[in-house]
C-alpha cells in the first residue's frame, strides 16, 4: 500500500540511474517505455497529488537541484560515491525466536541454512534451516559452548585487574591467543575477553568494550561485530549452503558437485600460489545450486479517510481492509474486511480464476487469520514491509488488543520487521540497492516503486484503479491487493528464480543471513566477507585507526582521516567537434585488475618490510607509495580470484549455447553476484566508513589507472593515431586501422598486464569542449548520449519527445555535409513545438508540459519567497487537497499572476502557457547536444512553420 518514507532516497537514486546510457531509451529511462507499453491499458488513476510513493504508479520526478556546470563523475566514481554513502549498521541484534521442542530435531536431512541469529531467550546462537522435502522450517541451537568475546592488547592479568570488568555480570574469563597482525606482519599476543551474552561485550552502556578504554584510547578489537556474525565466522558457517543435523550437531552437507568440473575450474583460475585454498573454499559456494524455497508474498490495504494520505503505521489508526497473499505453490488468497453498505462489484475479465476471497466481519479475526498464514511460511516477501505492511499489521494488532506475544508472528526491530519463525525479505530494500539494480539487474528499472520494478523485470505492472483504495468494491479491491502480492512473488521467480538464487549467492559470499544480506549494502557484504577471511586465516581484524597509524608517521584524528581526498580518475581533454569512425578501446575491469596485478590491499601498500620500502620495481607511479613483494595482499588476492572466476569461467558459460539451460542460467547468476563484488572492491577501499578503508591503497589504484590511460595515449600517438578523448578506463581513437587496434591490445596485455578491448566503433562521435559530454552515433543508427543526466527527469514530456526526435535526425547524418540538412530538420522540430505551445496545431495536454517537483518540507515551513512548485502546492491545498511533505507536484507554467497551475486544477480551465519559459526549457535540453555538433539553438529559432505559409 502506501508508504511515503522513500523520499530521502529519491535524490540519491537518480544519480546512479544514468551510468551507461547507450540508447535514447536508456537516456530517458524506462518511463517512456512504460508509457508505450501501456497504450492499450486504462489510464492510470488521476490523483490530485502524486506522492513519492514507491508503490503507486505515477512516475515521481526528483527534487534534485541541477548544478549546471558540475562535471559528471564516471560510472566507477559514481559507484564509489554510492558505496561511500552507505553506513553499516553495527548495533547488536537479539532475536526473539519462537521454537517448540519439535522444531529442534536431533537429526535432520540436508537442509538449506537461511540464517544464524542470537536467540535472546535461549542465550545461544540459533540456526534456521529449511528442509526442502517437508518444506518446513527447523531450528538448531548451538551446542558447542561458543561465547561472545572481543580482543584486547592488554595482558590478561591487566584485564582482570580492571574492577569494573571483573565485577561485570556478563564477564566470564580471559584467554591469551596468538593472532597474525597483517599490518605489521608479525604474530601478536592478544587477550580474548569472553562474556555470557553479546550485550555485555558491546552495544549497551557499561559494556566491556567501553571498559577497555584507557585515557581515551580504546584497547578493544573486534568488539563491534554482531554476535550472530562472530559465531558464523568462527564456525566457518556458510549461510545459503546445505547443512544437516547429525546426532544434535550441525554439519555441512557434502556438495554434489562433479569432481571433474571442480578440477577443470581449478586449472582455469589457479594462476598463482595460494589460490588453491580459495578454490577449495569457494567451490561449494559457486557450484551448489539453490533449491526452490516455499514462500509467500504479502500485501495489505488500509482504509484512508482522506484521499492520498498515507496511513501512519506507528499509530495504525485505520482499519486494514484487505490482506493479499500469493505463494509459490499456487495458493492465491485475499482476506477482505466487510464494511457497512459497501458494494461487492463485479469480477473483471482479467479476474484470476483461482483467487480465493475470504470475507471477515471483524477486522481482528482477519488479522489473526493473516498472522496464522504468515507463520506457516519459511520466507515471507513484501515490498516495503519493513516500513509499512508488517509494521502496520503489528501496530494494528496491538491496537485491536491481539495478544502479540502469543499470536503475532512479527517482531519489530530498528527500521525492520522480522518474524519469530520465518525470514522476512523486504524486496523494496533489496531492489533499491544500487549493486542489485545497476550491476546485477542491468538497470532494468529506474525507479524503485513496485510498478516500475515489475514492469522492468516482468513486463507487467500494478492494476489500474477505478476509484481510490477505500472506495473500491470488494472484488476490485481483492484483485488489486492480491495482484500486488502476486507481482512481489513473481519478482523472485522470473528467469528460473534469478532473484532468489542471487540472494542466496550473496549470502554465501558475504556470509550473511538472508534477512541481513537483503537489507544491507555492498560495503557491509564486503566487510563481512573479509572479516571471515581474517578469522579463517587467524589474523587480527584491524581497526581503521590501526590502518591509518600504520601508514602515516603521525597519529591523526578521525575527522582528518575522513576529510582527506585523493586524486581520482583521469579525463583526457576532448578534441571538440565531430569525428567520423572513432573507435573506443576500454580496459576490462580496470581497477580490480590493477588491484590484483599490483598486489594492492590495505596491508601490502606501504608495507612494513624494509626490502619492499627500498626496492625500485614496486613504486606506484606519481606517488610515494610502494607495494609489497613478500606477501600476497588479502584483498588483492580475493578480488583477483573473484575477477578471474567471473571472467574465465562463469561469464563465458552464461552465454555458451553448447551448455544446457540450467548450467547457463546458474552461471549467469554467479557471474552477476561476482560482478557486484568485483566492481565494488575499489570503491570500498576508498570509502571512509569501510572497516578496511585505506587511503594509500585507493590512491595507488587510481594512480595505476591514470598511468594505464596515459601510456596507452602515448603509445597510440607514437603509432600515428590521434587520441580524441579518454575517461577513466577508455580511450577514443581517431579512425584507427584494424591492425593498429590489434597492436594496441597486444601491447597493453604485455606491458600493462591489463586486457584492453575494442569496445565500439561510432559512425561519428560529437565531442563538446566539456568533459564527459558527448553524443556517439553507431552505424546501426543507435545514439548514445553522455552527460545530460542533470536534465533528465525534471524535463517535461514535450521536451523529451522533441529531444528524441532531434536525436533521430542526428542519427541519420552520414557526412559532415549532412549536418546542414539535419539543421533544417531540427529547426522544423523546434518550430512545431513552438506552434503547439502557442496553440496552433494540436495543443499540448497539461501532462505533456508538466514539471514535476517534490516538496521536501511542510508547506508552512517555506519562507517568504516561494518557488513555483510550492506556489502550485498551495493552490492545491486551497482547493482541498492534502499536500504533505514529500508530495510530488505536477504543474504547468502559465502567463498571469501566479505563473503556475497544478495539473489537476487545469482540467476544464482556460490558461495561456508561458511560451518563453517553455522555450527556455527546450533550449536547455537541446543545448548540449547541439553544442557538440556545432549548432546553436538560436539559429533554429526563426519563423515558425505556419508563418512560412503566409
Ligand atoms: Zn612488503
Amino acid at each position: 500500500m502506501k508508504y511515503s518514507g522513500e523520499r530521502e532516497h529519491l535524490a540519491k537514486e537518480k544519480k546512479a540511474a544514468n551510468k551507461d546510457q547507450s540508447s535514447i531509451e536508456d537516456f530517458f529511462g524506462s518511463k517512456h517505455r512504460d508509457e508505450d507499453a501501456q497504450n492499450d491499458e486504462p489510464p492510470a488513476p488521476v490523483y490530485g497529488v502524486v506522492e513519492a510513493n514507491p508503490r503507486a504508479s505515477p512516475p515521481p520526478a526528483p527534487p534534485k537541484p541541477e548544478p549546471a556546470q558540475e562535471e559528471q563523475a564516471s560510472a566507477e566514481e559514481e559507484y564509489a560515491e554510492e558505496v561511500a554513502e552507505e553506513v553499516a549498521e553495527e548495533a547488536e541484534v537479539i532475536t526473539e525466536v519462537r521454537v517448540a521442542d519439535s522444531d529442534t530435531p536431533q537429526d535432520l536431512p540436508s537442509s538449506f541454512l537461511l540464517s544464524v541469529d542470537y536467540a535472546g531467550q535461549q542465550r545461544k546462537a540459533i540456526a534456521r534451516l529449511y528442509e526442502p522435502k517437508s518444506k518446513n522450517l527447523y531450528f538448531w541451537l548451538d551446542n558447542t559452548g561458543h561465547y561472545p568475546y572481543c580482543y584486547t592488547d592488554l595482558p590478561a592479568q591487566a584485564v582482570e585487574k580492571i574492577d569494573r570488568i571483573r565485577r561485570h555480570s556478563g564477564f566470564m574469563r580471559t584467554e591469551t591467543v596468538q593472532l597474525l597482525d597483517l599490518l605489521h606482519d608479525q604474530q601478536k599476543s592478544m587477550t580474548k575477553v569472553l562474556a555470557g551474552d553479546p550485550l555485555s561485550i558491546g552495544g549497551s552502556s557499561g559494556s566491556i568494550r567501553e571498559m577497555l578504554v584507557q585515557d581515551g584510547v580504546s584497547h578493544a578489537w573486534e568488539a563491534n561485530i554482531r554476535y550472530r556474525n562472530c559465531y558464523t565466522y568462527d564456525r566457518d558457517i556458510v549461510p545459503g549452503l546445505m547443512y544437516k543435523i547429525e546426532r544434535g550437531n550441525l554439519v555441512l552437507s557434502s556438495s554434489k558437485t562433479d569432481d571433474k568440473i571442480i578440477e577443470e575450474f581449478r586449472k582455469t583460475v589457479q594462476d598463482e600460489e595460494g589460490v588453491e585454498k580459495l578454490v577449495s573454499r569457494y567451490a561449494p559456494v559457486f557450484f551448489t545450486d539453490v533449491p526452490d524455497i516455499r514462500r509467500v508474498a504479502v500485501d495489505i490495504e488500509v482504509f484512508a479517510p482522506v484521499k492520498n494520505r498515507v496511513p501512519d503505521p506507528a499509530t495504525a489508526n485505520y482499519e486494514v481492509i484487505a490482506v493479499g497473499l500469493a505463494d509459490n505453490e499456487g495458493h492465491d488468497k485475499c482476506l477482505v474486511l466487510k464494511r457497512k453498505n459497501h458494494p461487492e462489484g463485479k469480477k473483471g475479465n482479467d479476474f484470476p480464476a483461482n483467487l480465493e476471497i475470504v470475507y471477515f466481519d471483524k477486522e481482528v479475526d482477519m488479522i489473526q487469520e493473516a498472522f496464522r498464514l504468515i507463520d506457516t511460511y519459511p520466507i515471507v516477501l513484501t515490498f516495503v514491509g519493513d516500513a509499512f505492511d508488517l509494521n502496520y499489521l503489528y501496530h494494528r494488532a496491538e491496537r485491536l488488543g491481539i495478544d502479540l506475544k502469543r499470536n503475532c508472528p512479527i517482531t519489530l526491530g530498528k527500521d525492520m520487521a522480522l518474524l519469530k519463525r520465518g525470514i522476512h525479505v523486504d524486496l523494496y530494500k533489496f531492489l533499491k540497492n544500487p549493486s542489485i539494480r545497476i550491476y546485477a539487474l542491468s538497470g532494468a528499472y529506474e525507479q524503485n516503486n513496485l510498478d516500475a520494478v515489475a514492469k522492468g523485470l516482468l513486463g507487467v505492472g500494478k492494476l489500474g484503479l477505478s476509484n481510490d483504495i477505500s472506495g473500491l468494491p470488494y472484488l476490485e479491491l481483492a484483485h488489486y491487493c492480491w495482484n500486488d502480492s502476486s507481482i512481489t512473488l513473481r519478482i523472485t521467480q522470473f528467469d528460473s528464480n534469478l532473484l532468489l538464487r542471487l540472494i542466496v549467492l550473496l549470502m554465501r559470499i558475504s556470509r550473511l543471513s538472508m534477512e541481513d544480506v537483503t537489507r544491507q549494502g555492498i560495503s557491509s557484504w564486503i566487510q563481512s566477507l573479509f572479516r571471515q577471511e581474517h578469522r579463517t586465516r587467524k589474523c587480527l581484524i584491524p581497526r581503521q585507526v590501526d590502518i591509518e597509524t600504520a601508514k602515516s608517521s603521525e597519529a591523526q584524528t578521525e575527522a582528518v582521516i575522513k576529510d582527506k581526498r585523493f586524486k581520482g580518475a583521469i579525463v583526457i581533454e576532448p578534441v571538440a567537434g565531430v569525428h567520423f569512425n572513432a573507435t573506443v578501446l576500454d580496459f576490462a575491469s580496470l581497477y580490480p585488475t590493477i588491484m590484483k596485478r599490483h598486489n594492492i590491499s590495505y596491508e601490502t601498500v606501504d608495507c612494513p618490510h624494509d626490502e619492499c620500502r627500498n626496492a625500485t620495481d614496486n613504486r606506484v607511479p606519481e606517488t610515494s607509495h610502494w607495494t609489497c613483494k613478500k606477501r600476497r595482499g588479502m584483498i588483492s588476492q580475493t578480488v583477483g580470484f573473484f575477477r578471474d572466476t567471473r571472467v574465465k569461467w562463469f561469464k563465458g558459460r552464461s552465454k555458451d549455447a553448447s551448455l544446457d539451460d540450467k548450467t547457463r542460467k546458474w552461471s549467469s547468476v554467479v557471474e552477476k553476484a561476482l560482478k557486484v563484488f568485483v566492481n565494488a572492491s575499489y570503491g570500498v577501499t576508498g570509502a571512509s566508513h569501510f572497516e578496511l578503508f585505506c587511503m594509500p591503497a585507493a590512491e595507488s589504484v587510481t594512480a595505476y589507472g591514470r598511468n594505464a590511460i596515459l601510456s596507452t595515449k602515448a603509445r597510440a600517438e607514437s603509432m600515428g593515431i590521434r587520441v580524441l578523448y579518454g575517461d577513466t578506463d577508455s580511450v577514443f581513437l581517431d579512425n584507427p586501422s584494424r591492425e593498429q587496434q590489434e597492436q594496441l591490445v597486444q601491447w597493453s596485455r604485455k606491458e600493462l598486464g591489463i586486457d584492453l578491448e575494442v569496445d565500439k566503433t561510432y559512425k561519428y562521435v560529437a565531442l563538446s569542449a566539456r568533459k564527459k559530454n558527448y553524443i556517439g552515433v553507431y552505424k546501426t543508427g543507435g545514439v548514445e548520449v553522455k552527460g545530460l543526466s542533470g536534465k533528465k527527469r525534471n524535463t517535461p514530456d514535450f521536451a523529451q519527445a522533441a529531444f528524441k526526435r532531434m536525436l533521430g535526425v542526428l542519427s541519420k547524418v552520414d557526412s559532415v555535409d549532412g549536418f546542414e540538412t539535419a539543421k533544417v530538420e531540427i529547426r522544423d522540430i523546434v518550430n512545431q513545438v513552438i506552434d503547439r505551445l502557442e496553440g496552433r496545431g494540436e495543443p499540448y495536454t497539461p501532462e505533456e508540459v508538466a514539471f514535476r517537483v517534490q516538496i521536501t518540507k511542510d508547506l508552512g515551513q517555506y519562507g517568504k519567497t516561494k518557488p513555483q512548485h510550492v506556489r502550485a502546492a498551495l493552490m492545491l491545498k486551497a482547493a482541498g487537497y492534502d499536500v504533505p511533505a514529500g508530495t510530488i507536484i505536477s504543474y504547468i507554467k502559465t502567463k498571469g499572476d501566479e505563473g503556475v497551475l497544478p495539473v489537476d486544477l487545469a482540467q476544464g480551465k482556460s490558461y495561456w502557457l508561458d511560451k518563453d519559459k517553455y522555450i527556455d526549457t527546450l533550449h536547455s535540453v537541446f543545448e548540449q547536444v547541439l553544442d557538440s555538433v556545432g549548432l546553436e539553438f538560436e539559429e533554429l529559432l526563426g519563423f515558425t512553420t505556419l508563418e512560412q505559409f503566409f
Side-chain angles (χ1 to χ4, degrees):
M1 245 240 42
K2 311 217 167 203
Y3 163 61
S4 56
E6 78 144 2
R7 292 151 200 167
E8 313 77 70
H9 309 300
L10 280 174
K12 196 171 141 188
E13 262 168 46
K14 67 218 68 95
K15 192 172 60 197
N18 8 270
K19 253 141 234 193
D20 295 302
Q21 302 145 1
S22 57
S23 68
I24 300 176
E25 269 68 30
D26 284 352
F27 175 69
F28 285 124
S30 53
K31 190 178 155 219
H32 272 255
R33 275 203 297 265
D34 292 347
E35 280 171 4
D36 294 341
Q38 230 183 4
N39 278 343
D40 297 325
E41 290 175 27
V46 179
Y47 287 125
V49 184
V50 179
E51 283 164 54
N53 176 341
R55 305 185 55 189
S57 19
K64 191 186 175 189
E66 288 179 16
Q69 292 306 316
E70 191 187 58
E71 277 190 1
Q72 279 155 23
S74 71
E76 239 113 5
E77 288 163 335
E78 282 185 21
Y79 191 57
E81 254 178 72
E82 293 280 350
V83 169
E85 282 174 35
E86 274 182 22
V87 176
E89 181 63 58
E90 290 277 14
E92 187 58 72
V93 180
I94 309 293
T95 313
E96 188 185 339
V97 189
R98 190 165 57 195
V99 286
D101 287 346
S102 59
D103 293 334
T104 53
Q106 284 294 298
D107 289 282
L108 185 72
S110 201
S111 297
F112 184 72
L113 181 66
L114 291 170
S115 76
V116 174
D117 288 287
Y118 178 75
Q121 218 178 350
Q122 294 84 352
R123 293 167 62 96
K124 279 177 180 171
I126 186 165
R128 268 175 245 234
L129 297 140
Y130 171 71
E131 200 278 294
K133 286 209 183 79
S134 65
K135 297 178 181 174
N136 278 331
L137 261 190
Y138 292 94
F139 296 85
W140 176 84
L141 280 158
D142 176 59
N143 63 349
T144 66
H146 188 278
Y147 288 103
Y149 63 90
C150 66
Y151 293 118
T152 177
D153 59 350
L154 302 173
Q157 274 183 320
V159 173
E160 285 173 23
K161 271 195 192 129
I162 301 173
D163 269 357
R164 292 166 65 211
I165 293 185
R166 201 178 51 234
R167 284 199 241 113
H168 193 286
S169 62
F171 172 72
M172 288 178 61
R173 61 173 190 271
T174 57
E175 288 170 11
T176 302
V177 292
Q178 299 296 316
L179 293 170
L180 179 59
D181 170 6
L182 286 172
L183 278 171
H184 302 96
D185 197 11
Q186 61 190 29
Q187 288 291 327
K188 197 167 174 176
S189 188
M190 299 291 287
T191 304
K192 190 174 184 178
V193 186
L194 292 98
D197 66 293
L199 290 180
S200 295
I201 292 293
S204 63
S205 65
S207 64
I208 290 170
R209 178 170 78 190
E210 289 173 15
M211 294 169 187
L212 290 169
V213 177
Q214 292 188 343
D215 303 326
V217 176
S218 171
H219 290 269
W221 272 262
E222 307 192 21
N224 56 341
I225 301 175
R226 287 171 171 171
Y227 180 66
R228 62 211 296 186
N229 302 117
C230 175
Y231 182 84
T232 311
Y233 305 146
D234 280 349
R235 293 224 36 214
D236 202 4
I237 287 173
V238 186
L241 279 184
M242 306 298 282
Y243 283 79
K244 52 191 170 183
I245 303 175
E246 272 179 1
R247 287 183 301 265
N249 299 317
L250 184 73
V251 284
L252 183 67
S253 293
S254 56
S255 153
K256 288 187 201 118
T257 317
D258 190 342
D259 287 343
K260 262 193 238 148
I261 293 187
I262 303 292
E263 204 37 51
E264 201 189 327
F265 171 66
R266 186 186 299 276
K267 276 189 212 140
T268 311
V269 298
Q270 195 174 307
D271 59 354
E272 63 175 48
E273 219 181 303
V275 174
E276 71 277 2
K277 280 190 193 143
L278 287 174
V279 172
S280 305
R281 282 175 48 215
Y282 280 97
V285 166
F286 297 148
F287 290 95
T288 310
D289 200 358
V290 177
D292 200 12
I293 306 176
R294 191 164 159 264
R295 58 196 185 277
V296 69
V298 178
D299 179 79
I300 68 166
E301 302 299 336
V302 175
F303 181 79
V306 180
K307 199 157 114 175
N308 291 314
R309 175 162 300 164
V310 180
D312 179 1
T315 55
N317 278 327
Y318 303 108
E319 56 201 0
V320 176
I321 53 176
V323 182
L325 302 117
D327 79 8
N328 64 328
E329 298 183 309
H331 300 110
D332 295 305
K333 211 175 236 192
C334 192
L335 316 183
V336 175
L337 180 65
K338 283 267 188 196
R339 283 170 282 165
K340 263 198 193 120
N341 302 323
H342 196 80
E344 172 151 28
K346 276 192 225 117
K347 290 184 179 177
N349 290 336
D350 54 348
F351 194 89
N354 64 331
L355 172 54
E356 181 195 348
I357 300 181
V358 187
Y359 288 102
F360 290 84
D361 291 320
K362 281 195 193 148
E363 190 193 3
V364 65
D365 294 340
M366 182 180 75
I367 291 180
Q368 302 240 45
E369 173 62 4
F371 283 171
R372 191 189 66 76
L373 290 168
I374 286 172
D375 209 28
T376 61
Y377 285 92
I379 296 180
V380 175
L381 308 164
T382 65
F383 197 89
V384 203
D386 277 343
F388 190 76
D389 300 70
L390 296 195
N391 194 317
Y392 198 96
L393 280 175
Y394 180 92
H395 285 113
R396 187 68 189 164
E398 186 175 38
R399 208 183 164 90
L400 294 173
I402 292 175
D403 182 347
L404 294 178
K405 223 172 166 54
R406 290 178 55 148
N407 295 325
C408 178
I410 303 162
T411 59
L412 293 186
K414 189 174 167 282
D415 301 324
M416 56 186 174
L418 302 174
L419 298 172
K420 290 177 191 165
R421 289 183 60 84
I423 302 283
H424 169 219
V425 174
D426 183 345
L427 287 177
Y428 167 71
K429 281 195 180 150
F430 184 65
L431 292 166
K432 196 181 72 184
N433 186 331
S435 302
I436 299 306
R437 190 169 62 81
I438 298 164
Y439 285 111
L441 299 174
S442 316
Y445 52 95
E446 216 177 289
Q447 287 163 328
N448 193 35
N449 58 63
L450 186 57
D451 191 56
V453 170
K455 279 177 180 158
L457 297 176
L458 311 173
V460 296
K462 285 165 71 89
L463 289 185
L465 291 180
S466 67
N467 200 333
D468 64 283
I469 299 280
S470 306
L472 288 182
Y474 292 139
L475 291 172
E476 197 181 338
L477 172 69
H479 188 189
Y480 177 83
C481 177
W482 164 82
N483 188 65
D484 276 3
S485 60
S486 170
I487 52 186
T488 303
L489 170 71
R490 279 148 67 199
I491 287 170
T492 66
Q493 289 180 305
F494 80 98
D495 211 358
S496 315
N497 285 342
L498 167 71
L499 212 71
L500 176 74
R501 303 210 286 178
L502 187 61
I503 289 172
V504 171
L505 254 166
L506 295 171
M507 288 165 65
R508 292 178 187 168
I509 300 174
S510 66
R511 307 290 183 115
L512 291 168
S513 296
M514 186 176 274
E515 49 204 4
D516 285 338
V517 89
T518 51
R519 285 174 177 80
Q520 297 174 1
I522 181 68
S523 44
S524 303
W525 301 343
I526 296 185
Q527 173 176 289
S528 179
L529 154 70
F530 285 113
R531 283 176 172 177
Q532 176 72 67
E533 285 296 323
H534 280 86
R535 289 261 170 112
T536 303
R537 301 173 191 211
K538 297 199 168 37
C539 300
L540 180 66
I541 303 171
R543 306 169 305 182
Q544 272 203 346
V545 59
D546 301 334
I547 298 178
E548 183 63 27
T549 311
K551 306 293 169 189
S552 69
S553 44
E554 69 236 65
Q556 312 212 20
T557 66
E558 202 179 359
V560 172
I561 296 172
K562 299 216 173 201
D563 214 39
K564 271 199 193 165
R565 292 281 173 273
F566 58 91
K567 227 172 145 185
I570 193 167
V571 181
I572 296 172
E573 207 60 48
V575 180
V578 175
H579 309 279
F580 283 85
N581 296 314
T583 294
V584 180
L585 266 57
D586 66 9
F587 291 109
S589 54
L590 178 65
Y591 288 171
T593 307
I594 287 171
M595 291 175 82
K596 179 188 172 180
R597 180 173 163 89
H598 296 287
N599 198 20
I600 294 173
S601 186
Y602 78 87
E603 77 277 29
T604 47
V605 170
D606 301 347
C607 64
H609 313 114
D610 283 337
E611 58 266 57
C612 303
R613 183 193 307 263
N614 297 324
T616 51
D617 58 349
N618 60 345
R619 316 307 301 183
V620 180
E622 290 181 61
T623 69
S624 55
H625 302 307
W626 68 92
T627 55
C628 189
K629 301 175 66 146
K630 292 185 67 174
R631 173 178 276 287
R632 193 72 173 112
M634 182 188 287
I635 296 178
S636 52
Q637 186 181 52
T638 311
V639 168
F641 168 65
F642 282 5
R643 191 205 78 119
D644 293 348
T645 300
R646 171 172 179 254
V647 176
K648 295 182 185 168
W649 190 270
F650 290 105
K651 201 176 174 187
R653 286 169 176 256
S654 69
K655 291 171 194 143
D656 187 343
S658 71
L659 294 170
D660 59 279
D661 193 50
K662 208 175 152 218
T663 309
R664 262 205 321 270
K665 287 236 160 83
W666 176 249
S667 300
S668 154
V669 177
V670 183
E671 187 262 325
K672 286 180 164 71
L674 287 173
K675 185 177 176 184
V676 164
F677 281 88
V678 170
N679 280 335
S681 53
Y682 155 74
V684 293
T685 298
S688 63
H689 69 273
F690 184 58
E691 189 163 67
L692 304 176
F693 166 63
C694 179
M695 182 71 81
E699 230 164 39
S700 301
V701 174
T702 54
Y704 276 115
R706 291 190 301 273
N707 184 257
I709 292 284
L710 288 175
S711 38
T712 306
K713 178 174 187 273
R715 179 73 191 175
E717 282 166 355
S718 77
M719 291 161 64
I721 311 168
R722 187 160 67 133
V723 176
L724 300 170
Y725 180 57
D727 184 2
T728 313
D729 56 0
S730 63
V731 283
F732 289 48
L733 304 179
D734 190 1
N735 204 2
S737 72
R738 205 153 273 260
E739 293 72 43
Q740 286 175 320
Q741 295 174 23
E742 190 46 40
Q743 272 176 36
L744 270 174
V745 168
Q746 296 295 351
W747 166 84
S748 169
R749 191 168 300 147
K750 189 156 164 275
E751 296 300 318
L752 304 175
I754 310 172
D755 290 336
L756 187 62
E757 293 171 347
V758 179
D759 184 31
K760 54 204 166 191
T761 297
Y762 293 115
K763 179 164 75 177
Y764 71 84
V765 63
L767 297 168
S768 84
R770 298 164 50 160
K771 292 173 178 178
K772 297 177 192 283
N773 192 340
Y774 60 85
I775 73 165
V777 175
Y778 294 101
K779 297 203 162 89
T780 53
V783 183
E784 185 182 322
V785 180
K786 199 80 177 180
L788 295 110
S789 52
K791 304 286 178 213
K792 213 165 162 178
R793 294 211 208 167
N794 260 335
T795 307
D797 294 355
F798 85 97
Q800 294 198 12
F803 185 81
K804 241 177 161 175
R805 289 181 62 197
M806 171 179 71
L807 293 186
V809 169
L810 289 175
S811 73
K812 284 183 281 177
V813 173
D814 288 319
S815 65
V816 178
D817 296 341
F819 284 103
E820 278 309 307
T821 326
K823 187 166 143 185
V824 175
E825 286 179 46
I826 294 170
R827 171 181 287 161
D828 230 37
I829 294 169
V830 171
N831 286 333
Q832 281 170 26
V833 170
I834 294 172
D835 278 349
R836 293 184 66 182
L837 287 171
E838 288 177 337
R840 282 170 293 185
E842 185 199 346
Y844 284 117
T845 64
E847 280 80 13
E848 284 176 302
V849 288
F851 291 84
R852 298 181 181 92
V853 184
Q854 187 182 44
I855 48 169
T856 49
K857 40 190 178 180
D858 286 333
L859 287 177
Q861 289 178 300
Y862 284 93
K864 251 196 180 147
T865 44
K866 294 184 176 62
Q868 289 187 315
H869 66 288
V870 176
R871 294 210 300 275
L874 287 168
M875 291 165 79
L876 280 171
K877 199 175 176 199
Y881 288 83
D882 187 32
V883 197
T887 306
I888 291 190
I889 308 293
S890 293
Y891 64 95
I892 57 179
K893 299 187 180 181
T894 57
K895 285 179 182 161
D897 293 347
E898 290 292 341
V900 290
L901 184 60
V903 166
D904 300 287
L905 303 182
Q907 319 288 354
K909 247 191 204 156
S910 63
Y911 51 83
W912 288 100
L913 288 177
D914 191 335
K915 188 187 78 177
D916 293 341
K917 293 256 169 64
Y918 280 99
I919 292 178
D920 285 349
T921 301
L922 196 66
H923 186 162
S924 68
V925 172
F926 274 39
E927 191 178 32
Q928 285 167 303
V929 167
L930 291 177
D931 174 51
S932 56
V933 297
L935 296 176
E936 281 200 37
F937 189 78
E938 282 75 13
E939 303 178 55
L940 304 173
L941 296 170
F943 31 88
T944 66
T945 45
L946 276 177
E947 278 166 89
Q948 285 175 312
F949 288 105
F950 294 111

